[in-house]
């Protein structure tokens, strides 16, 4: 791996010169067949619908690439974020295990039936969250007629806390950062006999995080069908944002399997105060490494200091670059999507959802990035795919950024 620091913008890059193209090392638990299992279960939900894939042709022309496509997960299950995909599949598998059945032989709507509720008795699911994952756990638990207790780190947005409580779950804001809140949730689950549903892994706890990641792969399964139906060009690049790395690792693992290790160029993007994937890549010993501190960033969904180890191994082997971004990059992306060029569709994107668009606009326009553009083969022939992972889940901050111009690009 080679470390490049771009000083004027505050954006840091590591290009992965050791990307592994060996199909024998692919994460087969994220294979296309496994993704189809998750997709079929999700399709059995009465509320399932494919989220939009939006072509921003005018923006692509303006920044100097052949195409830009945004998969808008703000429409997912009425939760304003993508997290429900992973939680529905994970909790579905948990309940199937308690019933002694496999998920391929049942449906979501059967698992929420009175018959299943009677067989299960009372369960409590718990998790730690920056907001979106916890809301998904609370929502799915309610669908199954069960309870949820959700822990959030200090400084969590009021609206994200309220959204969890509106499901009937208990939401507790701690005095800790995200990583310490995860530890608290683990302790409370052990003390109370609760079922912990966390989107990261640790020693002895991998199956539920794997199910969550398998659920996320539905995003790219849908994208493939949409590209064919809309007769859009295949992506040459994808930009994936990372907190603990679960979503990024899931989608990259699926893509690596689909293309047998010869997948399009992949960039992993994080906030600079919580860039645990970037830091792990910079250490260069192939192990995951934690970053410490308050992890403060407007990208609350990415404010995680400790990588998901099962996601890190995928990001380590199959990503092309790791990027650490100041908050203004995400704010720029939010404003660009909220105020589209004539002919493009508006996208409402929260801080964690928009950082990739902000990054691309700077990569393609600033002379200081010419070497990076060349290294990543970003040019007029590139078609770039983005995942808008959330809408305006913190509407107060959204308005401050989009209406009032908070977190502007620094003067150069």
């Amino acid at each position: 791996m080679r470390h490049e620091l771009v000083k004027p913008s505050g954006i840091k890059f590591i290009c992965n010169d050791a990307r592994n193209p060996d199909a024998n090392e692919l994460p087969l638990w994220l294979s296309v067949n496994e993704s189809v299992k998750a997709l079929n279960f999700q399709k059995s939900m009465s509320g399932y619908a494919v989220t939009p894939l939006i072509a921003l042709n005018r923006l692509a022309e303006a920044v100097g690439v052949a195409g830009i496509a945004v998969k808008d997960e703000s429409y997912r299950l009425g939760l304003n974020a993508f997290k429900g995909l992973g939680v529905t599949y994970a909790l579905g598998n948990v309940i199937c295990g308690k019933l002694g059945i496999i998920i391929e032989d049942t449906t979501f709507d059967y698992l929420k039936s009175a018959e299943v509720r009677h067989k299960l008795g009372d369960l409590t699911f718990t998790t730690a969250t920056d907001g979106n994952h916890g809301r998904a756990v609370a929502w799915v638990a309610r669908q199954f007629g069960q309870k949820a207790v959700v822990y959030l780190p200090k400084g969590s947005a009021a609206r994200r806390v309220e959204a969890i409580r509106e499901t009937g779950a208990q939401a507790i804001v701690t005095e800790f950062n995200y990583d310490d809140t995860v530890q608290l949730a683990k302790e409370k689950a052990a003390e109370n006999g609760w079922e912990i549903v966390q989107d990261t892994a640790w020693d002895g706890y991998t199956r539920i995080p794997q199910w969550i990641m398998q659920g996320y792969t539905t995003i790219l399964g849908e994208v493939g069908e949409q590209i064919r139906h809309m007769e859009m060009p295949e992506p040459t690049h994808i930009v994936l944002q990372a907190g603990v790395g679960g979503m990024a690792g899931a989608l990259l693992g699926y893509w690596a399997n689909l293309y047998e290790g010869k997948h399009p160029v992949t960039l992993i993007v994080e906030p600079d105060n919580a860039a645990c994937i970037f830091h792990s890549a910079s250490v260069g010993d192939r192990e995951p490494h934690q970053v410490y501190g308050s992890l403060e960033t407007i990208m609350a969904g990415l404010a995680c200091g400790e990588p998901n180890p099962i996601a890190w191994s995928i990001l380590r082997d199959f990503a092309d670059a790791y990027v650490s971004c100041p908050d203004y990059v995400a704010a720029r992306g939010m404003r660009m999507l909220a105020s589209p060029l004539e002919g493009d569709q508006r996208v409402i994107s929260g801080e964690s959802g928009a950082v990739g668009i902000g990054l691309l606009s700077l990569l393609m326009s600033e002379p200081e990035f010419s070497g990076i553009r060349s290294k990543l083969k970003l040019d007029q022939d590139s078609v770039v795919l983005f995942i808008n992972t959330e809408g305006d889940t913190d509407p107060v901050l959204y308005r401050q950024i989009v209406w009032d111009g908070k977190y502007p690009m620094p003067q150069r």
Side-chain angles (χ1 to χ4, degrees):
M1 295 184 181
R2 183 164 58 88
H3 184 195
E4 296 191 35
L5 173 63
V6 181
K7 293 182 179 178
S9 64
I11 300 172
K12 303 173 186 177
F13 285 85
I14 298 173
C15 291
N16 186 4
D17 295 326
R19 188 176 100 168
N20 180 6
D22 188 351
N24 293 325
E25 300 298 326
L26 294 172
L28 296 181
W29 57 276
L30 290 169
S31 68
V32 175
N33 286 340
E34 291 297 329
S35 178
V36 169
K37 290 181 187 178
L39 176 59
N40 287 340
F41 179 71
Q42 288 152 357
K43 284 183 175 179
S44 75
M45 301 171 61
S46 55
Y48 170 80
V50 176
T51 56
L53 181 67
I54 300 166
L56 299 178
N57 296 325
R58 301 288 79 76
L59 180 59
E61 184 180 342
V63 303
V65 295
I68 290 175
V70 177
K71 177 69 165 166
D72 191 355
E73 288 295 298
S74 70
Y75 289 88
R76 185 68 69 181
L77 299 173
L79 297 174
N80 209 9
F82 76 102
K83 290 287 189 174
L85 286 173
V87 175
T88 53
Y89 194 58
L91 263 64
N93 273 289
V94 169
I95 290 176
C96 284
K98 293 180 181 296
L99 296 173
I101 61 177
I102 59 174
I103 203 162
E104 297 98 301
D105 293 340
T106 190
T107 67
F108 184 90
D109 288 343
Y110 171 70
L111 295 184
K112 58 185 280 192
S113 68
E115 176 188 343
V116 169
R117 175 71 181 81
H118 178 73
K119 290 179 179 179
L120 291 176
D122 293 330
L123 300 174
T124 298
F125 298 100
T126 192
T127 193
T129 181
D130 289 305
N132 296 334
H133 171 72
R135 184 182 182 186
V137 170
W139 182 83
V140 178
R142 184 180 70 176
Q143 301 301 306
F144 292 144
Q146 303 293 353
K147 297 177 183 178
V149 179
V150 179
Y151 295 93
L152 298 99
K154 62 183 177 181
S156 294
R159 177 59 198 141
R160 293 187 177 119
V161 178
E162 291 166 6
I164 292 168
R165 289 176 177 158
E166 286 168 1
T167 69
Q170 186 177 1
I172 301 167
V173 180
T174 73
E175 292 301 313
F176 309 120
N177 67 16
Y178 171 81
D179 297 307
D180 292 337
T181 302
V182 171
Q183 184 60 39
L184 176 65
K186 290 164 61 176
E187 293 168 0
K188 293 297 183 181
E191 288 173 12
N192 296 292
W194 297 340
E195 196 81 51
I196 189 162
V197 184
Q198 202 58 52
D199 51 353
T200 192
W202 53 81
D203 286 345
Y205 185 80
T206 58
R207 199 67 192 100
I208 286 176
Q210 285 181 331
W211 284 328
I212 289 173
M213 291 174 67
Q214 287 172 332
Y216 293 160
T217 63
T218 288
I219 294 171
L220 286 185
E222 290 180 355
V223 166
E225 291 295 322
Q226 289 170 304
I227 286 174
R228 287 186 286 274
H229 178 73
M230 298 167 67
E231 297 183 344
M232 296 173 64
E234 292 281 342
T236 62
H237 296 70
I238 186 170
V239 180
L240 298 170
Q241 47 278 60
V244 296
M247 185 276 289
L251 271 55
L252 180 52
Y254 170 88
W255 230 15
N257 276 290
L258 179 65
Y259 290 96
E260 298 184 335
K262 298 176 177 62
H263 50 282
V265 176
T266 305
L267 287 73
I268 308 302
V269 184
E270 298 170 277
D272 56 5
N273 284 343
C276 58
I277 303 299
F278 180 93
H279 175 59
S280 299
S282 70
V283 172
D285 63 1
R286 298 180 58 80
E287 298 297 321
H289 291 273
Q290 186 173 0
V291 296
Y292 298 92
S294 67
L295 311 177
E296 186 174 352
T297 171
I298 63 170
M299 293 171 264
L302 309 180
C304 311
E306 187 170 3
N308 177 342
I310 59 176
W312 159 246
S313 64
I314 298 167
L315 301 177
R316 176 196 66 204
D317 290 346
F318 297 102
D320 292 272
Y322 313 90
V323 191
S324 170
C325 290
D327 283 346
Y328 79 83
V329 178
R332 176 181 172 89
M334 292 170 67
R335 287 189 283 268
M336 292 174 66
L337 291 170
S339 302
L341 296 170
E342 184 176 359
D344 280 352
Q345 182 177 330
R346 181 187 181 209
V347 178
I348 297 175
S349 179
E351 308 81 46
S352 298
V355 63
I357 287 285
L359 175 65
L360 180 71
S361 70
L362 295 169
L363 283 180
M364 298 305 297
S365 63
E366 298 295 320
E368 66 193 74
F369 296 117
S370 60
I372 293 293
R373 289 196 297 269
S374 176
K375 180 77 175 176
L376 299 177
K377 300 178 182 178
L378 270 170
D379 55 33
Q380 69 276 5
D381 297 320
S382 300
V383 177
V384 190
L385 174 64
F386 299 88
I387 314 299
N388 179 29
T389 50
E390 64 173 359
D392 54 345
T393 54
D394 182 356
V396 173
L397 182 57
Y398 182 86
R399 289 193 296 270
Q400 289 174 343
I401 292 171
V402 173
W403 292 9
D404 303 331
K406 195 172 183 180
Y407 303 100
M409 185 170 172
Q411 294 295 319
R412 304 283 288 279

